[in-house]
Amino acid sequence: MATQQLLPPAVAAPAKPLRRRRRDGRAAVLYLAPAAILLAALLAYPIYQLVLISFFDYGQPQAAGTAPLVFIGFENYAQLLENATFWTVLAKTVGFAGACVIGSLFVGTSLAILATRVRSLPRMLLFLAALGAWATPAMAGSYVWLFLFDTDFGLVNEILVGIGFDGMAHHSWTYGTFSAFGLVAAEVIWCSFPFVMVTMYAGIQAIPGEVLEAASLDGASWFLIAKSVILPMLRPLVMIATIQSIIWDFKVFTQIYVMTNGGGVAGRNLVLNVYAYQQAFAGSEYGLGAAIGVVMTLLLLSITGLYVRSQRRSDAWL
């Protein structure tokens, strides 16, 4: 009688991958622990003081020690949320930061892709120019842009008039709400895109050449390769660059304060950071300024958390 070959019973997948993931996770925690401890030591106490001050009626007399502190609970937050100016400034801040983030990602990624397509000398010049913009202090860069767009002596107005736009003679770029925000956003993008460009260029260089060559042999154009091959593989780096850009652009202070002279005419170009400065130091309402800082911190944590969560749920997450 022919013997029947017995098939082995189905067994569960080995636990090695799970144990390896746990081991890798513990190793990652150990590697990150020193930096986490340092950040906690530097940030925990200031954040604690910020939250604490927001619960008190803390003005100039209290700061000078001539009046006692009065605990008012959430009154500063209630006053803030009932203030129509706060909601207007918040909406402008979100719109301004969103435009800066999108602009930085677009310009930085486009130039990173361009850097992979040019020869070594143009690539070196491109990186030197980008790093020069990145290394320029925010204060110096703001004044340079103000000089370029000056009403009477600005190079931009002179060029526009020279090519036939006579209406741009003595045009003020910082008077209107949208033109002032646009000018500041351009300066912020100018000093922010190099980080995105360097990050994306490093990611593109790490992509196996066989993948790009296969897509090219299949007849895909370079635009299609960038859209369907390069960008999906760069998704983790895009997430990092986006989070960094959100944090940087949401709390812009120097460029707005310098280029719009403290928030524009009648506060038309205020963002939350400048608004908090005005309330805390110009208005001597330190408790209210601290409440604005706490709200900003919570908003940044919420936006970052939602973005990371959406990326982790994506099928392209690796």
Side-chain angles (χ1 to χ4, degrees), residues 34-184:
I37 293 173
L38 180 62
L39 286 175
L42 292 175
L43 296 177
Y45 183 73
I47 292 177
Y48 165 74
Q49 284 292 330
L50 184 72
V51 175
L52 185 64
I53 291 174
S54 69
F55 290 126
F56 285 89
D57 181 12
Y58 198 102
Q60 188 60 39
Q62 288 77 16
T66 59
L69 288 174
V70 178
F71 181 79
I72 57 176
F74 290 95
E75 186 174 327
N76 283 324
Y77 295 95
Q79 179 183 347
L80 191 65
L81 297 178
E82 293 172 357
N83 190 351
T85 303
F86 167 75
W87 293 106
T88 302
V89 173
L90 176 60
K92 291 180 179 179
T93 304
V94 172
F96 172 78
C100 292
V101 170
I102 294 173
S104 300
L105 290 173
F106 177 77
V107 174
T109 304
S110 300
L111 290 179
I113 295 175
L114 175 64
T116 63
R117 304 292 294 174
V118 298
R119 296 183 181 273
S120 58
L121 180 59
R123 181 167 59 246
M124 181 185 68
L125 295 176
L126 176 61
F127 273 95
L128 287 177
L131 292 177
W134 197 9
T136 302
M139 183 74 73
S142 299
Y143 278 111
V144 168
W145 277 71
L146 278 180
F147 179 75
L148 290 174
F149 288 85
D150 184 75
T151 302
D152 299 315
F153 307 105
L155 179 62
V156 175
N157 283 356
E158 293 290 337
I159 293 176
L160 291 175
V161 172
I163 61 177
F165 293 95
D166 296 333
M168 299 305 295
H170 306 290
H171 174 72
S172 175
W173 294 87
T174 58
Y175 181 78
T177 301
F178 291 103
S179 62
F181 268 130
L183 179 60
V184 179

Side-chain angles (χ1 to χ4, degrees), residues 239-258:
M239 188 198 72
I240 294 173
T242 303
I243 291 175
Q244 291 282 1
S245 298
I246 289 173
I247 294 173
W248 289 340
D249 297 339
F250 196 85
K251 58 185 184 67
V252 164
F253 174 84
T254 303
Q255 291 90 336
I256 285 285
Y257 193 83
V258 171

